[in-house]
Amino acid sequence: MTSLSVFTAAVEEGSISAAARRHRMTPAMAGRHLSSLEAALKARLLHRTTRRLHLTDIGRAYYQRSRRILDEFDEAQREAGELQVSPQGSIKIAVPASFGAIHLGGPIARYLRTHPGVRVETTVSDRYVDLVQEGFDLALRIGSLPDSNLVARRIGKCRMVLCAAPSYFSRAPEPRTPEELRGHPRLAFSGSVSPGDWTLIDVRGRPHPIDGPCRLVADNMQLLLAVALKGSGIVYGPSFVFGEALYRGALVLVLPRYSGTDLGIHAVIPSSRYLSTKIRHLIDQLATEFGEDPPWDRWRKASA
């Protein structure tokens, strides 16, 4: 491992003497490490001149693998050290507004109780945050993820549901097809890409888009829930917001033979390299508490 470290340092620093300084040894000792490495491989890795080093083709490929091996070794050493002590420090998290307000309180409280040395700073907002630029350690994101250099782990799921209060249908006919929804007051979330464009899937897997004006558009799902509970129209949104009301019967499914889109819930981090134990523990806990059979979808079992 020392010879690998000297070799990668020589490549990165551009000279054997600089590699020697990085590892606090003499240039002669660093040169012997390189020579012994090449002798063991029976291959030339570097062409040495008085001014600089040049990688051979074999050396270039060997450097890439050596760098990954050393990174993994450093990570293993760091993680082994962290496992011997309780996680310490702070975590900065960004979570969607309604999901955070409704579902994150319990898991965060249990995490803080288990890890008393950790401080959590949470931003609860539907604003799309830049993890790297704004210094966030972790973000929860719902739905499809854009291509990026970020690392994501799926920790749960939800389903888009179409529902209304029973009191609404005491004065309005229940729609029997997606097309009939256009004659009903619709309540929509303005934070979606197309707030008034809803899509339902029939039993054959065919999509049925519903568009047109909405009676109410709001940027907060809990407000839409409150308005729907008062019988003011039909709402379309994630089951993590409306699932509990469906379970209690305060809301009922509209067009139950059709289904909404399934959405993944992901924990997103800037990089998997050097992921601290405190963040890994939090992600593991969220995945355990939410998962593929989340508490907000218990209405589905009750209605089965």
Side-chain angles (χ1 to χ4, degrees):
M1 294 301 292
T2 301
S3 296
L4 281 182
S5 297
V6 171
F7 167 65
T8 56
V11 174
E12 292 163 358
E13 299 287 352
S15 70
I16 294 176
S17 58
R21 286 193 296 272
R22 181 191 288 189
H23 290 283
R24 298 182 179 180
M25 61 178 65
T26 65
M29 179 61 72
R32 283 196 289 272
H33 274 290
L34 292 174
S35 296
S36 64
L37 191 60
E38 290 178 326
L41 295 171
K42 296 182 173 61
R44 173 76 66 180
L45 299 175
L46 294 165
H47 290 302
R48 304 166 178 80
T49 67
T50 55
R51 292 193 173 186
R52 58 175 303 178
L53 303 175
H54 298 274
L55 279 168
T56 65
D57 289 341
I58 294 174
R60 188 172 296 104
Y62 194 73
Y63 167 74
Q64 297 297 332
R65 289 186 176 273
S66 298
R67 182 70 273 169
R68 288 196 292 270
I69 290 169
L70 290 172
D71 287 343
E72 289 291 331
F73 180 74
D74 290 343
E75 171 69 5
Q77 293 284 91
R78 183 198 58 75
E79 185 173 294
E82 285 188 353
L83 289 175
Q84 299 181 57
V85 297
S86 299
Q88 304 287 325
S90 62
I91 304 176
K92 188 176 180 182
I93 311 172
V95 298
S98 295
F99 185 83
I102 299 172
H103 296 290
L104 206 61
I108 288 293
R110 287 183 283 276
Y111 177 84
L112 293 174
R113 189 163 55 246
T114 304
H115 304 290
V118 179
R119 173 181 174 273
V120 177
E121 178 185 345
T122 306
T123 296
V124 182
S125 170
D126 289 320
R127 180 179 67 86
Y128 190 89
V129 302
D130 187 316
L131 271 68
V132 176
Q133 292 294 325
E134 300 181 51
F136 283 93
D137 301 298
L138 170 68
L140 300 188
R141 290 182 178 161
I142 300 168
S144 58
L145 298 175
D147 292 336
S148 71
N149 293 324
L150 303 178
V151 178
R153 174 182 170 186
R154 183 175 168 119
I155 60 171
K157 68 175 183 178
C158 71
R159 169 169 288 189
M160 296 295 286
V161 293
L162 188 72
C163 50
S167 61
Y168 172 73
F169 293 118
S170 67
R171 60 182 185 275
E174 186 171 347
R176 301 190 180 280
T177 67
E179 289 71 23
E180 291 182 9
L181 284 172
R182 293 186 176 88
H184 291 261
R186 296 191 297 136
L187 316 175
F189 179 55
S190 64
S192 61
V193 176
S194 300
D197 295 350
W198 301 349
T199 300
L200 299 177
I201 310 297
D202 64 24
V203 293
R204 296 183 179 179
R206 296 175 301 188
H208 294 262
I210 300 98
D211 54 16
C214 296
R215 185 70 185 278
L216 171 67
V217 177
D219 66 354
N220 184 279
M221 294 300 307
Q222 289 165 284
L223 173 61
L224 294 176
L225 170 62
V227 174
L229 289 171
K230 295 297 183 181
S232 296
I234 297 175
V235 69
Y236 182 72
S239 58
F240 66 76
V241 173
F242 302 102
E244 183 60 27
L246 286 167
Y247 180 76
R248 292 187 286 105
L251 294 176
V252 295
L253 285 180
V254 178
L255 297 172
R257 291 174 57 84
Y258 296 80
S259 62
T261 306
D262 284 335
L263 303 176
I265 302 174
H266 297 86
V268 180
I269 57 176
S271 172
S272 60
R273 181 180 293 181
Y274 309 129
L275 179 63
S276 67
T277 301
K278 61 179 180 286
I279 296 175
R280 184 181 291 112
H281 284 183
L282 178 56
I283 294 174
D284 288 344
Q285 180 173 332
L286 295 176
T288 298
E289 297 206 22
F290 300 150
E292 296 302 300
D293 187 22
W296 51 81
D297 275 353
R298 59 178 180 161
W299 60 273
R300 298 183 65 181
K301 294 180 180 179
S303 61

